[in-house]
Short mmCIF file of all heavy atoms in Angstrom, two decimals:
data_model
loop_
_atom_site.label_atom_id
_atom_site.label_comp_id
_atom_site.label_asym_id
_atom_site.label_seq_id
_atom_site.Cartn_x
_atom_site.Cartn_y
_atom_site.Cartn_z
N ALA A 10 19.58 20.66 -0.22
CA ALA A 10 20.98 20.99 -0.44
C ALA A 10 21.39 22.33 0.16
O ALA A 10 22.51 22.75 0.14
CB ALA A 10 21.23 21.05 -1.94
N GLY A 62 1.24 -27.72 -8.97
CA GLY A 62 2.57 -27.25 -8.70
C GLY A 62 3.45 -27.17 -9.95
O GLY A 62 4.48 -26.57 -9.93
N ALA A 93 -14.53 5.96 -3.03
CA ALA A 93 -14.76 7.45 -3.24
C ALA A 93 -15.72 7.96 -2.24
O ALA A 93 -15.44 8.98 -1.58
CB ALA A 93 -15.26 7.64 -4.69
N HIS A 111 -9.85 18.74 19.08
CA HIS A 111 -8.57 19.52 19.21
C HIS A 111 -8.88 20.77 20.06
O HIS A 111 -7.97 21.37 20.66
CB HIS A 111 -8.09 19.91 17.82
CG HIS A 111 -6.74 20.54 17.85
ND1 HIS A 111 -5.62 19.88 18.40
CD2 HIS A 111 -6.30 21.76 17.49
CE1 HIS A 111 -4.57 20.70 18.28
NE2 HIS A 111 -4.95 21.77 17.77
N MET A 129 -11.92 -1.48 18.39
CA MET A 129 -11.57 -2.46 19.36
C MET A 129 -12.57 -3.59 19.30
O MET A 129 -12.39 -4.58 20.07
CB MET A 129 -11.62 -1.76 20.73
CG MET A 129 -10.71 -0.59 20.79
SD MET A 129 -10.72 0.02 22.44
CE MET A 129 -10.68 1.76 22.17
N ALA A 280 -5.52 -14.78 -8.26
CA ALA A 280 -4.23 -14.18 -8.18
C ALA A 280 -4.12 -12.95 -9.12
O ALA A 280 -3.57 -11.84 -8.71
CB ALA A 280 -3.12 -15.15 -8.48
N VAL A 284 -3.46 -9.05 -8.18
CA VAL A 284 -2.42 -8.19 -8.74
C VAL A 284 -3.07 -6.88 -9.27
O VAL A 284 -2.53 -5.78 -9.05
CB VAL A 284 -1.65 -8.93 -9.79
CG1 VAL A 284 -0.71 -8.00 -10.54
CG2 VAL A 284 -0.87 -10.09 -9.25
#
Side-chain angles (χ1 to χ4, degrees):
Chain A
H111 189 61
M129 304 184 218
V284 172

